[in-house]
Amino acid sequence: MSLYTAGMKVCLGSLIALALLSIWGVLGPNATLPAPSPAYDLVIRGGTIIDGTGKPAFVADLAVRGGKIAKVAKLENPIAREFIEAAGLVVAPGFVDAHNHTEFAIADPAKRFNEGFLRQGVTTIVGGADGTLSPNQISRLLEAYERNSVATNVAFYVGHNAIRYLVMAGERRAPTMDELETMKSLVRDGMEAGALGFSSALMYEPGRHSKTKELIALAREAALCNGIYDCHVRDPGHALLESNREAIEVGERAGIPVKIATELVVGLENKGLSKQVVELIEAARARGVKVVTDQFPYDGAHTAGLFELIRVPGELRGQPAFDLAAALRDPVLRGRLKEASENGISGGFAWLKASGYSQMRITSSADYPGLAGKYLSQLATERNLSGFDLVCDLISRAAYPVGITLAAADEEDVREILKQPWNMIASDGVYSDGITPQGHPRSTGSFPRVLGYYVREARVLTLPEAIRKMTALPADCLGLHDRGRITQGLAADIVVFDPEKVSDRSTWEQPQKYAEGVEHLIVNGTVVLSNGKLTGQAPGIFLKRQR
């Protein structure tokens, strides 16, 4: 240090001291000087930072100001309005759920906190998956969120099924040129409103009646706005590889990044196909197609009771004294119900047609607990029955509902997809009130299940890689470039969790149980979960595409 610099510092110090003495002299010896203004709104002290990029963890403080990450470093005596002590806890970007179905539920003021997802560490949900939202529906939801406020950020896809139904009223045919132009216009409207991309669900009505060229034409509209194409593939049970190829073809020919949604190798006949799925995606990526997948970390998809497999034609359902159990015991009526259930009413959707007995596994039965884990096709073979007769017998004889998963998978196939670097974690979950035992455990457990089971116990993933799959990977793919990383200047969406305790508590029998281990959650710089308790704050915002 030069003598000149040193002298200047001494002079400056003297001037400050004289100024303070002058103030003290004027105000008197009992005066209290005003406290310095806080430099930060929030400081998270001494946490283990995992920044979302996949890099190793490091210990640091994290400061928040004005809803942004202001500093990530060791801070000496910081001044802040609020502190969180995070020694021994992990501090990570808030999780981005890229395939979520709670967008309608949280428009209800009583459900706006979406507690089941806050307790998983989720700070952003993406609604409109499976093609469910038209531009008008997006607009109405945003009005409700603005009126009531919501706890998480919300983004949307604009959806094929909703648009096709609006334009074609459920017609099972290709669109006319005018109808296609109208659908293209609606996709543009959704994208111009800020949608992240265009989503489809080709397994369901009315999207299942579309051809590939229709999807390419609509996806091109999203591509013009730098969106993505999110696809629940056409027939994962009976044509898994072909269905994935179609999704990739749409992306390749439309010039748009593709996310294959809820990638799951379902059914006994597909067991082991995960390696071919990986090869298919790797080959597409090698030739320049931007294709990724998302996955919920469970070995089964939709849940239902056996009785939900039975499709009842309108002329029977409309009878005042119709009794399903009695009808299943009547040979003539059973035959009519079998036709409707296995082939769909007038050729429409039916789970037994879409999946089949070899893809459905029993998850729970109070009457027959020993059947849990058995596929319906296995049981039918063991008992020398047809699949439908087995279902009817179980329904007729059980005093309590028999729970099943409609798209069961082998655990090794789940793990093979899970560990791929281009595969992200998403829930495919719906709203849960934490009390009512209905739905799928993924709605309350997806993200903690990965952190607790697949990281801590099974060691399929490292913790930094698992967090990358929940944060930077989905944020980058979706065009949410101010989310998904612990980096100075980005939005302060932050989760603080205990790496030794974080876990899912939900099961097939009790899917409503909230996860544990997430101690604090911050959305846009505001604490929404503190020491495991809701704060009553709802600072979520609508996130538009950032390309």
Side-chain angles (χ1 to χ4, degrees):
M1 180 186 300
S2 70
L3 290 175
Y4 176 79
T5 304
M8 287 295 291
K9 288 193 172 183
V10 169
C11 290
L12 184 59
S14 299
L15 288 171
I16 292 171
L18 285 171
L20 291 173
L21 285 171
S22 298
I23 294 170
W24 182 80
V26 172
L27 297 178
N30 296 321
T32 301
L33 294 176
S37 298
Y40 305 112
D41 300 321
L42 170 67
V43 170
I44 303 172
R45 293 198 284 209
T48 300
I49 307 285
I50 299 182
D51 68 5
T53 66
K55 294 177 182 177
F58 59 95
V59 176
D61 304 320
L62 188 155
V64 174
R65 182 172 53 231
K68 305 287 186 182
I69 298 171
K71 201 98 171 180
V72 183
K74 177 61 178 173
L75 302 175
E76 295 295 336
N77 301 316
I79 300 172
R81 291 187 177 88
E82 188 173 359
F83 289 89
I84 291 174
E85 300 299 333
L89 303 178
V90 169
V91 179
F95 303 148
V96 178
D97 188 350
H99 192 106
N100 186 285
H101 293 287
T102 63
E103 68 272 25
F104 286 103
I106 63 174
D108 178 347
K111 299 176 180 178
R112 65 196 181 107
F113 294 115
N114 209 358
E115 186 175 355
F117 282 95
L118 294 187
R119 292 192 176 280
Q120 294 186 59
V122 172
T123 55
T124 296
I125 66 162
V126 183
D130 295 343
T132 55
L133 289 180
S134 68
N136 186 52
Q137 287 173 304
I138 291 174
S139 177
R140 294 208 312 270
L141 286 173
L142 290 178
E143 289 172 2
Y145 301 159
E146 180 70 22
R147 186 167 58 248
N148 304 322
S149 74
V150 291
T152 63
N153 303 310
V154 185
F156 295 112
Y157 306 108
V158 63
H160 178 229
N161 281 342
I163 285 173
R164 197 178 207 273
Y165 189 83
L166 271 178
V167 175
M168 298 179 63
E171 290 282 343
R172 300 176 180 181
R173 57 172 174 79
T176 65
M177 289 299 295
D178 286 346
E179 288 169 337
L180 184 61
E181 287 302 315
T182 302
M183 286 195 282
K184 288 164 64 175
S185 176
L186 287 169
V187 173
R188 286 196 299 274
D189 289 346
M191 295 302 299
E192 289 168 2
L196 305 180
F198 168 65
S199 74
S200 69
L202 306 178
M203 185 175 176
Y204 305 127
E205 299 283 349
R208 59 192 295 263
H209 305 292
S210 62
K211 303 298 184 185
T212 306
K213 66 179 182 179
E214 174 185 327
L215 299 164
I216 293 168
L218 298 176
R220 280 179 178 147
E221 298 301 319
L224 292 173
C225 296
N226 297 312
I228 72 165
Y229 173 52
D230 183 87
C231 180
H232 182 305
V233 299
R234 192 178 295 274
D235 190 355
H238 306 303
L240 175 65
L241 296 177
E242 295 85 347
S243 296
N244 279 350
R245 286 192 189 98
E246 181 186 33
I248 293 168
E249 180 186 355
V250 171
E252 197 162 17
R253 292 177 60 188
I256 191 170
V258 180
K259 179 166 74 66
I260 298 175
T262 61
E263 186 72 87
L264 190 67
V265 178
V266 301
L268 293 173
E269 62 267 50
N270 291 326
K271 183 178 177 180
L273 278 186
S274 57
K275 293 187 183 299
Q276 292 184 51
V277 170
V278 170
E279 291 171 359
L280 179 66
I281 292 172
E282 291 282 10
R285 289 171 63 87
R287 64 177 185 267
V289 185
K290 295 178 180 178
V291 56
V292 297
T293 62
D294 74 47
Q295 173 192 36
F296 52 83
Y298 293 89
D299 62 356
H302 309 274
T303 54
L306 273 182
F307 67 91
E308 293 177 63
L309 301 181
I310 308 300
R311 303 285 288 171
V312 182
E315 66 271 17
L316 293 179
R317 193 186 316 111
Q319 295 176 5
F322 178 74
D323 181 330
L324 178 60
L328 291 176
R329 289 190 293 269
D330 181 298
V332 175
L333 291 180
R334 179 182 283 202
R336 291 178 64 186
L337 293 170
K338 178 180 180 180
E339 169 63 25
S341 301
E342 291 187 338
N343 297 302
I345 298 170
S346 301
F349 181 84
W351 274 114
L352 283 175
K353 179 170 71 172
S355 296
Y357 303 102
S358 64
Q359 297 175 29
M360 298 179 177
R361 187 176 60 226
I362 293 176
T363 58
S364 60
S365 173
D367 298 283
Y368 312 111
L371 298 185
K374 290 272 192 176
Y375 284 81
L376 297 184
S377 59
Q378 291 175 323
L379 283 173
T381 299
E382 290 173 9
R383 299 183 181 189
N384 198 27
L385 294 170
S386 71
F388 194 76
D389 285 341
L390 170 78
V391 169
C392 293
D393 286 358
L394 289 175
I395 291 174
S396 300
R397 295 175 183 177
Y400 299 93
V402 177
I404 59 171
T405 177
L406 298 169
D410 183 75
E411 175 65 13
E412 289 305 311
D413 285 317
V414 172
R415 295 186 181 203
E416 180 66 22
I417 300 297
L418 183 66
K419 66 187 182 184
Q420 301 307 317
W422 33 257
N423 179 67
M424 66 188 71
I425 308 304
S427 74
D428 194 20
V430 299
Y431 180 84
S432 174
D433 62 9
I435 299 169
T436 310
Q438 63 184 19
H440 191 293
R442 65 192 174 196
S443 296
T444 51
S446 288
F447 295 86
R449 177 169 175 78
V450 172
L451 300 173
Y453 179 64
Y454 286 109
V455 171
R456 188 176 63 238
E457 297 178 23
R459 300 182 183 274
V460 176
L461 298 171
T462 66
L463 187 54
E465 176 63 4
I467 289 175
R468 185 187 72 85
K469 289 171 171 288
M470 302 173 181
T471 57
L473 177 59
D476 288 351
C477 291
L478 296 169
L480 300 175
H481 300 305
D482 63 341
R483 315 277 155 171
R485 287 177 171 79
I486 298 289
T487 300
Q488 185 173 328
L490 296 193
D493 289 352
I494 303 161
V495 59
V496 183
F497 66 88
D498 188 331
E500 298 303 319
K501 293 181 180 178
V502 65
S503 60
D504 60 324
R505 297 171 60 241
S506 52
T507 64
W508 297 111
E509 295 80 11
Q510 294 186 301
Q512 80 285 2
K513 285 191 171 184
Y514 288 158
E516 62 184 5
V518 173
E519 302 295 333
H520 310 278
L521 194 66
I522 296 95
V523 178
N524 296 312
T526 297
V527 179
V528 297
L529 200 66
S530 177
N531 294 309
K533 296 180 180 179
L534 294 179
T535 65
Q537 299 297 309
I541 62 174
F542 171 46
L543 299 181
K544 295 184 178 181
R545 185 186 64 262
Q546 302 166 358
R547 297 274 181 172

